[in-house]
Amino acid sequence: MAPSKVWPALCGLSLVLLSGCASGLKTPATADVAASREAVESAGSSGAAELAPDELGSARDKMMRANQALAARDYQLARDLAQQAQADARLAQSKANSTKATNAADALQEDLRVLREELDRANK
């Protein structure tokens, strides 16, 4: 192929490749939004509504905004909000699990204290 015909072909190929890369940003973020929904539901069922209401509320708000962005075909915003919602939901779930573990440890310590007192009384 003559050099004068190679350059236009390469330019055309480059444009096709670049448009393919750019279109990745315009694909629907439905998987990200669905994952955020699952993360929020999981956090809610783990007790985060009572134990980490601020974090769960933030996750729900961002998930709702991600759904709105998805409906408006603003896929990059939808993806970003969905990822933020997932992070907030994981934080809410972790905080709820931590609070549950702390409460269980406190209850165990109280049970041990009561048992020690009973042992002390029995040994006197």
Side-chain angles (χ1 to χ4, degrees):
M1 199 178 255
S4 61
K5 292 184 180 182
V6 172
W7 285 109
L10 286 175
C11 289
L13 181 62
S14 297
L15 286 174
V16 169
L17 290 174
L18 287 173
S19 67
C21 293
S23 68
L25 298 175
K26 295 184 179 187
T27 58
T30 52
D32 294 309
V33 173
S36 72
R37 186 177 302 114
E38 289 176 20
V40 168
E41 288 173 3
S42 178
S45 67
S46 74
E50 299 84 28
L51 302 172
D54 294 337
E55 292 81 0
L56 186 60
S58 177
R60 285 180 174 155
D61 176 62
K62 288 175 183 170
M63 185 186 69
M64 181 187 68
R65 290 174 38 215
N67 281 317
Q68 291 169 344
L70 188 61
R73 296 178 184 229
D74 188 347
Y75 301 129
Q76 186 60 49
L77 179 61
R79 186 173 287 114
D80 292 344
L81 287 168
Q83 290 171 352
Q84 291 173 21
Q86 287 178 50
D88 287 350
R90 284 193 297 268
L91 175 62
Q93 188 167 8
S94 294
K95 194 171 182 181
N97 290 341
S98 176
T99 300
K100 286 180 190 177
T102 299
N103 291 343
D106 291 345
L108 184 59
Q109 288 294 331
E110 180 60 20
D111 290 347
L112 287 171
R113 186 191 64 74
V114 169
L115 284 172
R116 284 188 188 114
E117 285 178 1
E118 290 179 12
L119 279 172
D120 287 343
R121 269 184 288 197
N123 289 332
K124 289 186 181 181

